[in-house]
Amino acid sequence: MALFQNANYDFIKWRWHAIAVSAVIIIAGFAYAATRGVPLGIDFSGGTIMVVQFQRPVTDDEVRNALVASVPGEHVIQAYGDPSANQKQIRLPMTEGSEQGVSLEAGSRAIVDALDKAGLRPFEVINQELVGPVIGADLQRKGLLATLFSILGITAYIALRFRPAFALGAIAATFHDILVTVAFLFFFGYDLSLNVVAALLTITGYSVNDTIVIFDRVRENRRTKRRENLEKVVNDSVNQTLSRTVITAGTTFLSVLALFLFGGEVLEGFAFTMLVGIISGTYSTIFIASSIAIILANRQGAGRTQGARKETAAARSSVR
């Protein structure tokens, strides 16, 4: 806690370094995805979903090992319904070039044969369905729209509450967090799924909340430090809220870390996305959002000053 007592770190001094590091990570991540392809989960790419009820308790690893031996592609296994019912939901990707009915029949038959070979009978298939490519494309579109609309709403709110330069700073930081997080998803091979989209939307709100706390302190300090330049006021505000920022991020990080370690395979992508987003959100709150706000505010101030000088010069020439 001594690190936060009377904190006076010069964060603004390192703003260009921070922006450069973020740019390198984002460019590297998307360049990696361009060469390897964007990994899409079954929610977006389509595939077979089957619910199987076993007569005895069966672990996820037993089902996964049975499928890995004879069924290619991504396998997502999770408990389904009441744990005492011994039900497992199994997801397989759709095979390329196959029709929906054929893919459903082939996927179902492959799962049943794999479970038979592994000696997991008796079991019963109680439900099976196909997430087709049309549904996957619709989910992609809705996920993208949900993210964009949330960002637009946040932009309008901050612009009305503070000033346009600060709104753009907050949105730049939000886009930064999303892009950095997606880049790390590419690096570590996690698929883009509905769980990941939910995590990205959560990160959006988390990042903006931290940023608004600093902007609130900037607004308060501007009233009492009118003679100080904006960079000094913003840096002081970041230092004054540093303990709150770090403690909030730390406690949230530990909670999500427990989810990542003990939440199982189904929640692993969601938890990993949240872990990266929390770190990136804290980083962008301190370095990116404030820096962008300062840059834009200074440009607006320079533009107003230049405009005032032109009006003064025009007035003098008209008098002459």
Side-chain angles (χ1 to χ4, degrees), residues 204-274:
T204 300
Y206 179 88
S207 175
V208 170
N209 178 68
D210 267 359
T211 302
I212 287 177
V213 170
I214 293 180
F215 286 174
D216 262 329
R217 186 58 59 90
V218 171
R219 183 172 58 180
E220 294 172 1
N221 287 338
R222 289 286 284 178
R223 296 171 182 171
T224 59
K225 301 179 180 180
R226 295 184 180 276
R227 296 184 180 181
E228 298 282 356
N229 61 45
L230 183 59
E231 291 187 12
K232 180 67 166 57
V233 172
V234 171
N235 196 70
D236 289 345
S237 300
V238 173
N239 278 282
Q240 290 168 6
T241 57
L242 184 61
S243 60
R244 183 264 180 201
T245 300
V246 174
I247 292 173
T248 301
T251 54
T252 308
F253 182 88
L254 292 176
S255 300
V256 179
L257 181 61
L259 187 65
F260 177 77
L261 295 176
F262 308 111
E265 180 191 11
V266 176
L267 294 176
E268 185 177 336
F270 174 87
F272 179 83
T273 306
M274 286 294 298

Coordinates of all heavy atoms in Angstrom, one line a residue, residues 204-274:
T204 N -15.9 -4.2 -22.2 CA -16.3 -2.9 -22.6 C -16.8 -2.0 -21.5 O -16.3 -0.9 -21.2 CB -17.3 -2.9 -23.8 OG1 -16.8 -3.7 -24.8 CG2 -17.7 -1.6 -24.2
G205 N -17.8 -2.6 -20.7 CA -18.3 -1.9 -19.6 C -17.3 -1.7 -18.5 O -17.2 -0.6 -17.8
Y206 N -16.5 -2.7 -18.2 CA -15.4 -2.6 -17.2 C -14.4 -1.5 -17.5 O -14.1 -0.7 -16.6 CB -14.7 -4.0 -17.1 CG -13.7 -4.0 -16.0 CD1 -14.0 -4.4 -14.7 CD2 -12.3 -3.8 -16.3 CE1 -13.0 -4.4 -13.7 CE2 -11.3 -3.8 -15.4 CZ -11.7 -4.1 -14.1 OH -10.7 -4.2 -13.1
S207 N -13.9 -1.5 -18.7 CA -12.9 -0.5 -19.1 C -13.5 0.9 -19.0 O -12.8 1.8 -18.4 CB -12.4 -0.8 -20.5 OG -11.6 0.2 -20.9
V208 N -14.7 1.1 -19.5 CA -15.3 2.5 -19.4 C -15.5 2.9 -18.0 O -15.3 4.1 -17.7 CB -16.6 2.5 -20.3 CG1 -17.3 3.8 -20.1 CG2 -16.2 2.3 -21.8
N209 N -16.0 2.0 -17.2 CA -16.2 2.3 -15.8 C -14.9 2.9 -15.1 O -15.0 3.9 -14.4 CB -16.7 1.1 -15.0 CG -16.9 1.4 -13.5 OD1 -17.8 2.2 -13.2 ND2 -16.1 0.8 -12.7
D210 N -13.8 2.2 -15.3 CA -12.5 2.7 -14.7 C -12.2 4.0 -15.3 O -11.7 4.9 -14.6 CB -11.4 1.7 -15.0 CG -11.3 0.7 -13.9 OD1 -12.0 0.8 -12.9 OD2 -10.4 -0.2 -14.0
T211 N -12.4 4.2 -16.6 CA -12.0 5.5 -17.3 C -12.8 6.6 -16.7 O -12.3 7.7 -16.5 CB -12.2 5.3 -18.8 OG1 -11.4 4.2 -19.3 CG2 -11.8 6.6 -19.5
I212 N -14.1 6.4 -16.5 CA -15.0 7.4 -16.0 C -14.6 7.9 -14.6 O -14.7 9.1 -14.3 CB -16.5 7.0 -16.1 CG1 -17.0 6.9 -17.5 CG2 -17.4 7.9 -15.2 CD1 -18.4 6.4 -17.6
V213 N -14.1 7.0 -13.8 CA -13.6 7.4 -12.5 C -12.5 8.4 -12.6 O -12.5 9.4 -11.9 CB -13.2 6.1 -11.7 CG1 -12.4 6.5 -10.4 CG2 -14.3 5.2 -11.4
I214 N -11.6 8.2 -13.5 CA -10.5 9.1 -13.7 C -11.0 10.4 -14.3 O -10.6 11.5 -13.8 CB -9.4 8.5 -14.6 CG1 -8.7 7.4 -13.8 CG2 -8.3 9.6 -15.0 CD1 -7.6 6.7 -14.6
F215 N -11.9 10.4 -15.2 CA -12.4 11.6 -15.9 C -13.2 12.4 -14.9 O -13.2 13.6 -14.9 CB -13.2 11.2 -17.1 CG -12.4 10.8 -18.3 CD1 -13.1 10.3 -19.4 CD2 -11.1 10.8 -18.3 CE1 -12.4 9.9 -20.5 CE2 -10.3 10.4 -19.4 CZ -11.0 9.9 -20.5
D216 N -13.9 11.7 -14.0 CA -14.6 12.5 -12.9 C -13.6 13.3 -12.0 O -13.8 14.4 -11.7 CB -15.4 11.5 -12.0 CG -16.8 11.4 -12.4 OD1 -17.4 12.4 -12.9 OD2 -17.4 10.4 -12.2
R217 N -12.5 12.6 -11.7 CA -11.5 13.3 -10.9 C -10.8 14.4 -11.7 O -10.5 15.5 -11.1 CB -10.4 12.3 -10.4 CG -9.4 12.9 -9.5 CD -10.0 13.5 -8.2 NE -10.8 12.5 -7.5 CZ -10.3 11.7 -6.5 NH1 -9.0 11.8 -6.2 NH2 -11.0 10.8 -5.9
V218 N -10.6 14.3 -13.0 CA -10.1 15.3 -13.8 C -11.0 16.5 -13.8 O -10.6 17.7 -13.7 CB -9.9 14.9 -15.3 CG1 -9.5 16.0 -16.2 CG2 -8.8 13.8 -15.3
R219 N -12.3 16.3 -13.9 CA -13.3 17.4 -13.9 C -13.3 18.1 -12.6 O -13.3 19.4 -12.5 CB -14.7 16.8 -14.2 CG -15.8 17.9 -14.3 CD -17.1 17.3 -14.7 NE -17.5 16.3 -13.8 CZ -18.7 15.6 -14.0 NH1 -19.4 15.8 -15.1 NH2 -19.1 14.6 -13.2
E220 N -13.2 17.4 -11.5 CA -13.1 18.0 -10.2 C -11.8 18.9 -10.0 O -11.8 20.0 -9.5 CB -13.2 17.0 -9.1 CG -14.5 16.3 -9.0 CD -14.4 15.1 -8.0 OE1 -13.4 14.9 -7.4 OE2 -15.5 14.4 -7.9
N221 N -10.7 18.3 -10.5 CA -9.4 19.0 -10.3 C -9.3 20.2 -11.2 O -8.6 21.2 -10.9 CB -8.3 18.0 -10.6 CG -8.0 17.0 -9.5 OD1 -8.4 17.3 -8.4 ND2 -7.4 15.9 -9.8
R222 N -10.0 20.2 -12.4 CA -10.0 21.4 -13.3 C -10.6 22.6 -12.6 O -10.3 23.7 -12.9 CB -10.7 21.0 -14.6 CG -10.0 20.1 -15.5 CD -8.8 20.7 -16.2 NE -9.2 21.5 -17.3 CZ -8.4 22.2 -18.0 NH1 -7.1 22.2 -17.8 NH2 -8.8 22.9 -19.0
R223 N -11.6 22.3 -11.7 CA -12.2 23.4 -11.0 C -11.3 24.1 -10.0 O -11.4 25.3 -9.8 CB -13.5 22.9 -10.3 CG -14.6 22.4 -11.3 CD -15.7 21.7 -10.5 NE -16.7 21.2 -11.4 CZ -17.7 20.4 -11.1 NH1 -17.8 20.0 -9.8 NH2 -18.6 19.9 -11.9
T224 N -10.5 23.3 -9.4 CA -9.6 23.9 -8.3 C -8.2 24.2 -8.8 O -7.4 24.8 -8.1 CB -9.5 22.9 -7.2 OG1 -9.0 21.6 -7.6 CG2 -10.9 22.6 -6.6
K225 N -7.8 23.7 -10.0 CA -6.5 23.9 -10.5 C -6.6 24.5 -11.9 O -6.1 24.0 -12.9 CB -5.7 22.6 -10.6 CG -5.5 22.0 -9.2 CD -4.8 20.6 -9.4 CE -4.6 20.0 -8.0 NZ -3.8 18.7 -8.1
R226 N -7.3 25.7 -12.0 CA -7.5 26.3 -13.3 C -6.2 26.7 -14.0 O -6.1 26.8 -15.2 CB -8.5 27.5 -13.2 CG -9.9 27.0 -12.7 CD -10.8 28.2 -12.6 NE -12.1 27.8 -12.2 CZ -13.1 27.3 -13.0 NH1 -12.8 27.2 -14.3 NH2 -14.3 27.0 -12.5
R227 N -5.2 27.1 -13.2 CA -4.0 27.6 -13.8 C -3.0 26.4 -14.3 O -2.0 26.7 -15.0 CB -3.2 28.5 -12.8 CG -4.0 29.7 -12.4 CD -3.2 30.6 -11.5 NE -4.0 31.8 -11.1 CZ -3.5 32.8 -10.3 NH1 -2.3 32.6 -9.8 NH2 -4.2 33.8 -10.1
E228 N -3.3 25.2 -13.8 CA -2.5 24.1 -14.2 C -2.8 23.7 -15.7 O -4.0 23.8 -16.1 CB -2.7 22.9 -13.3 CG -2.3 23.2 -11.8 CD -0.8 23.1 -11.6 OE1 -0.1 22.8 -12.6 OE2 -0.4 23.4 -10.5
N229 N -1.8 23.2 -16.4 CA -2.1 22.7 -17.7 C -2.8 21.4 -17.6 O -2.8 20.7 -16.6 CB -0.8 22.6 -18.6 CG 0.2 21.7 -18.0 OD1 -0.1 20.6 -17.6 ND2 1.5 22.1 -18.0
L230 N -3.4 21.0 -18.8 CA -4.3 19.8 -18.7 C -3.4 18.5 -18.5 O -3.9 17.6 -17.7 CB -5.0 19.6 -20.1 CG -5.9 18.4 -20.2 CD1 -7.0 18.5 -19.2 CD2 -6.5 18.4 -21.6
E231 N -2.2 18.4 -19.0 CA -1.4 17.2 -18.7 C -1.1 17.0 -17.2 O -1.2 15.9 -16.7 CB -0.1 17.4 -19.5 CG -0.2 17.3 -21.0 CD 1.1 17.2 -21.7 OE1 2.2 17.1 -21.0 OE2 1.2 17.4 -22.9
K232 N -0.8 18.1 -16.5 CA -0.5 18.0 -15.1 C -1.8 17.6 -14.3 O -1.7 16.8 -13.4 CB -0.1 19.4 -14.6 CG 0.2 19.4 -13.1 CD 1.4 18.6 -12.7 CE 2.0 18.9 -11.3 NZ 1.0 18.7 -10.3
V233 N -2.9 18.2 -14.7 CA -4.2 17.8 -14.0 C -4.6 16.4 -14.2 O -4.9 15.7 -13.3 CB -5.3 18.7 -14.5 CG1 -6.7 18.3 -14.0 CG2 -5.1 20.2 -14.1
V234 N -4.4 15.9 -15.5 CA -4.7 14.5 -15.8 C -3.8 13.6 -15.1 O -4.2 12.6 -14.5 CB -4.7 14.3 -17.3 CG1 -4.8 12.8 -17.6 CG2 -5.8 15.0 -18.0
N235 N -2.5 13.9 -15.1 CA -1.5 13.0 -14.4 C -1.8 12.9 -12.9 O -1.7 11.9 -12.3 CB -0.1 13.5 -14.6 CG 0.9 12.5 -14.3 OD1 1.1 11.4 -15.0 ND2 1.7 12.7 -13.2
D236 N -2.1 14.1 -12.3 CA -2.5 14.1 -10.9 C -3.7 13.3 -10.6 O -3.8 12.6 -9.6 CB -2.7 15.5 -10.4 CG -1.4 16.3 -10.3 OD1 -0.3 15.7 -10.3 OD2 -1.5 17.6 -10.2
S237 N -4.7 13.3 -11.5 CA -6.0 12.6 -11.3 C -5.7 11.1 -11.4 O -6.3 10.3 -10.6 CB -7.0 13.0 -12.4 OG -7.3 14.4 -12.3
V238 N -4.8 10.7 -12.3 CA -4.5 9.3 -12.4 C -3.8 8.8 -11.2 O -4.1 7.7 -10.7 CB -3.6 9.0 -13.7 CG1 -3.1 7.6 -13.7 CG2 -4.3 9.3 -15.0
N239 N -2.9 9.6 -10.6 CA -2.2 9.2 -9.4 C -3.2 9.1 -8.2 O -3.1 8.2 -7.3 CB -1.1 10.2 -9.1 CG 0.2 9.9 -9.9 OD1 0.9 9.0 -9.5 ND2 0.4 10.6 -10.9
Q240 N -4.1 10.1 -8.1 CA -5.1 10.1 -7.0 C -6.0 8.9 -7.0 O -6.5 8.5 -6.0 CB -5.9 11.4 -7.1 CG -5.0 12.6 -6.7 CD -5.7 13.9 -7.1 OE1 -6.9 13.9 -7.4 NE2 -5.0 15.0 -7.0
T241 N -6.3 8.4 -8.2 CA -7.3 7.2 -8.3 C -6.5 5.9 -8.5 O -7.1 4.9 -8.8 CB -8.2 7.4 -9.5 OG1 -7.5 7.6 -10.7 CG2 -9.1 8.6 -9.2
L242 N -5.2 5.9 -8.4 CA -4.4 4.8 -8.7 C -4.7 3.6 -7.8 O -4.8 2.4 -8.2 CB -2.9 5.1 -8.6 CG -1.9 4.0 -9.0 CD1 -2.1 3.5 -10.5 CD2 -0.5 4.5 -8.8
S243 N -4.8 3.9 -6.5 CA -5.1 2.8 -5.5 C -6.4 2.1 -5.8 O -6.6 0.9 -5.8 CB -5.1 3.3 -4.1 OG -6.1 4.3 -3.9
R244 N -7.4 2.9 -6.1 CA -8.8 2.4 -6.5 C -8.7 1.5 -7.7 O -9.2 0.4 -7.8 CB -9.7 3.5 -6.6 CG -11.2 3.1 -6.9 CD -11.5 3.1 -8.4 NE -12.9 2.6 -8.6 CZ -13.3 2.1 -9.8 NH1 -12.5 2.0 -10.8 NH2 -14.6 1.8 -9.9
T245 N -8.0 2.0 -8.8 CA -7.8 1.3 -10.0 C -7.2 -0.1 -9.8 O -7.6 -1.1 -10.3 CB -7.0 2.1 -11.0 OG1 -7.7 3.4 -11.3 CG2 -6.9 1.4 -12.3
V246 N -6.0 -0.1 -9.1 CA -5.3 -1.3 -9.0 C -6.0 -2.3 -8.1 O -6.0 -3.5 -8.3 CB -3.9 -1.0 -8.4 CG1 -3.1 -2.3 -8.0 CG2 -3.1 -0.1 -9.4
I247 N -6.6 -1.8 -7.0 CA -7.3 -2.7 -6.1 C -8.5 -3.3 -6.7 O -8.8 -4.5 -6.6 CB -7.7 -2.0 -4.8 CG1 -6.5 -1.6 -4.0 CG2 -8.7 -2.8 -3.9 CD1 -6.7 -0.8 -2.8
T248 N -9.3 -2.5 -7.5 CA -10.4 -3.1 -8.2 C -10.0 -4.1 -9.2 O -10.6 -5.2 -9.3 CB -11.2 -1.9 -8.9 OG1 -11.6 -1.0 -7.9 CG2 -12.4 -2.5 -9.6
A249 N -9.0 -3.8 -10.0 CA -8.5 -4.7 -11.0 C -7.9 -6.0 -10.4 O -8.2 -7.1 -10.9 CB -7.4 -4.0 -11.9
G250 N -7.2 -5.8 -9.2 CA -6.6 -7.0 -8.6 C -7.7 -8.0 -8.1 O -7.6 -9.2 -8.3
T251 N -8.7 -7.5 -7.4 CA -9.7 -8.3 -6.8 C -10.5 -9.0 -8.0 O -10.9 -10.2 -7.9 CB -10.7 -7.6 -5.9 OG1 -11.2 -6.4 -6.6 CG2 -9.9 -7.1 -4.7
T252 N -10.8 -8.3 -9.0 CA -11.5 -8.8 -10.1 C -10.7 -9.9 -10.8 O -11.2 -11.0 -11.2 CB -11.9 -7.8 -11.2 OG1 -12.6 -6.7 -10.5 CG2 -12.8 -8.3 -12.2
F253 N -9.4 -9.6 -11.0 CA -8.5 -10.6 -11.6 C -8.4 -11.9 -10.9 O -8.5 -13.0 -11.5 CB -7.1 -9.9 -11.7 CG -6.1 -10.8 -12.4 CD1 -6.0 -10.7 -13.8 CD2 -5.3 -11.7 -11.7 CE1 -5.0 -11.5 -14.5 CE2 -4.4 -12.5 -12.4 CZ -4.3 -12.4 -13.8
L254 N -8.3 -11.8 -9.5 CA -8.3 -13.0 -8.7 C -9.6 -13.9 -8.9 O -9.5 -15.1 -8.9 CB -8.0 -12.7 -7.3 CG -6.6 -12.1 -7.0 CD1 -6.5 -11.7 -5.5 CD2 -5.5 -13.1 -7.3
S255 N -10.7 -13.2 -8.9 CA -12.0 -13.9 -9.0 C -12.0 -14.6 -10.4 O -12.4 -15.8 -10.5 CB -13.1 -12.9 -8.9 OG -13.1 -12.3 -7.7
V256 N -11.6 -13.9 -11.5 CA -11.7 -14.5 -12.8 C -10.6 -15.6 -12.9 O -10.8 -16.6 -13.6 CB -11.6 -13.5 -13.9 CG1 -11.6 -14.1 -15.3 CG2 -12.7 -12.4 -13.7
L257 N -9.5 -15.4 -12.3 CA -8.4 -16.5 -12.3 C -9.0 -17.8 -11.7 O -8.6 -18.9 -12.2 CB -7.2 -16.0 -11.5 CG -6.0 -16.9 -11.5 CD1 -5.5 -17.2 -12.9 CD2 -4.9 -16.4 -10.6
A258 N -9.7 -17.7 -10.6 CA -10.3 -18.9 -10.1 C -11.3 -19.6 -11.1 O -11.3 -20.8 -11.2 CB -11.0 -18.6 -8.8
L259 N -12.0 -18.7 -11.8 CA -12.9 -19.3 -12.8 C -12.1 -19.9 -13.9 O -12.5 -21.0 -14.4 CB -13.8 -18.1 -13.4 CG -14.9 -18.5 -14.3 CD1 -16.0 -19.3 -13.6 CD2 -15.5 -17.3 -14.9
F260 N -11.0 -19.4 -14.3 CA -10.2 -19.9 -15.4 C -9.5 -21.3 -14.9 O -9.5 -22.2 -15.7 CB -9.0 -18.9 -15.7 CG -8.1 -19.4 -16.8 CD1 -8.4 -19.4 -18.1 CD2 -6.8 -19.9 -16.4 CE1 -7.5 -19.9 -19.0 CE2 -5.9 -20.3 -17.3 CZ -6.3 -20.3 -18.7
L261 N -9.1 -21.3 -13.7 CA -8.4 -22.6 -13.2 C -9.4 -23.7 -12.9 O -9.1 -24.9 -13.1 CB -7.6 -22.2 -12.0 CG -6.4 -21.3 -12.2 CD1 -5.8 -20.9 -10.9 CD2 -5.4 -21.8 -13.2
F262 N -10.6 -23.3 -12.4 CA -11.5 -24.4 -11.9 C -12.9 -24.4 -12.6 O -13.7 -25.2 -12.2 CB -11.7 -24.2 -10.4 CG -10.4 -24.1 -9.6 CD1 -10.1 -22.9 -9.0 CD2 -9.6 -25.2 -9.4 CE1 -8.9 -22.8 -8.3 CE2 -8.4 -25.1 -8.7 CZ -8.1 -23.9 -8.1
G263 N -13.1 -23.5 -13.6 CA -14.4 -23.5 -14.2 C -14.6 -24.5 -15.3 O -15.7 -24.6 -15.8
G264 N -13.6 -25.2 -15.7 CA -13.8 -26.2 -16.7 C -13.5 -25.7 -18.1 O -13.4 -24.5 -18.3
E265 N -13.6 -26.6 -19.1 CA -13.3 -26.3 -20.5 C -14.2 -25.3 -21.1 O -13.9 -24.4 -21.9 CB -13.2 -27.5 -21.3 CG -12.9 -27.3 -22.8 CD -13.1 -28.5 -23.6 OE1 -13.7 -29.5 -23.1 OE2 -12.8 -28.5 -24.8
V266 N -15.5 -25.4 -20.7 CA -16.5 -24.6 -21.4 C -16.3 -23.1 -21.1 O -16.6 -22.2 -21.9 CB -17.9 -25.0 -20.9 CG1 -19.0 -24.1 -21.5 CG2 -18.2 -26.5 -21.4
L267 N -15.9 -22.8 -19.8 CA -15.7 -21.4 -19.4 C -14.3 -20.9 -19.6 O -14.0 -19.8 -19.2 CB -16.1 -21.3 -17.9 CG -17.6 -21.5 -17.6 CD1 -17.9 -21.4 -16.1 CD2 -18.5 -20.5 -18.4
E268 N -13.4 -21.8 -20.1 CA -12.0 -21.4 -20.2 C -11.8 -20.2 -21.1 O -11.1 -19.3 -20.8 CB -11.2 -22.6 -20.7 CG -9.7 -22.3 -20.7 CD -8.9 -23.5 -21.1 OE1 -9.4 -24.6 -20.9 OE2 -7.7 -23.3 -21.5
G269 N -12.5 -20.2 -22.3 CA -12.3 -19.1 -23.2 C -12.9 -17.8 -22.7 O -12.3 -16.8 -22.8
F270 N -14.0 -17.9 -22.0 CA -14.6 -16.7 -21.4 C -13.7 -16.2 -20.3 O -13.4 -14.9 -20.3 CB -16.0 -17.1 -20.7 CG -16.6 -16.0 -20.0 CD1 -17.4 -15.0 -20.6 CD2 -16.4 -15.9 -18.6 CE1 -18.0 -14.0 -19.8 CE2 -17.0 -14.9 -17.8 CZ -17.7 -13.9 -18.5
A271 N -13.1 -17.0 -19.4 CA -12.3 -16.6 -18.4 C -11.0 -16.0 -18.9 O -10.5 -15.0 -18.4 CB -12.0 -17.7 -17.4
F272 N -10.4 -16.7 -19.9 CA -9.1 -16.1 -20.5 C -9.4 -14.8 -21.1 O -8.5 -13.8 -20.9 CB -8.6 -17.1 -21.5 CG -7.4 -16.6 -22.2 CD1 -6.1 -16.9 -21.6 CD2 -7.4 -16.0 -23.4 CE1 -4.9 -16.4 -22.2 CE2 -6.2 -15.5 -24.0 CZ -5.0 -15.8 -23.4
T273 N -10.5 -14.6 -21.8 CA -10.8 -13.3 -22.4 C -10.9 -12.2 -21.3 O -10.4 -11.1 -21.5 CB -12.1 -13.4 -23.2 OG1 -12.0 -14.4 -24.2 CG2 -12.4 -12.1 -23.9
M274 N -11.6 -12.6 -20.2 CA -11.7 -11.6 -19.1 C -10.4 -11.3 -18.4 O -10.1 -10.1 -18.1 CB -12.7 -12.2 -18.1 CG -14.1 -12.2 -18.5 SD -14.8 -10.5 -18.6 CE -14.6 -9.9 -17.0

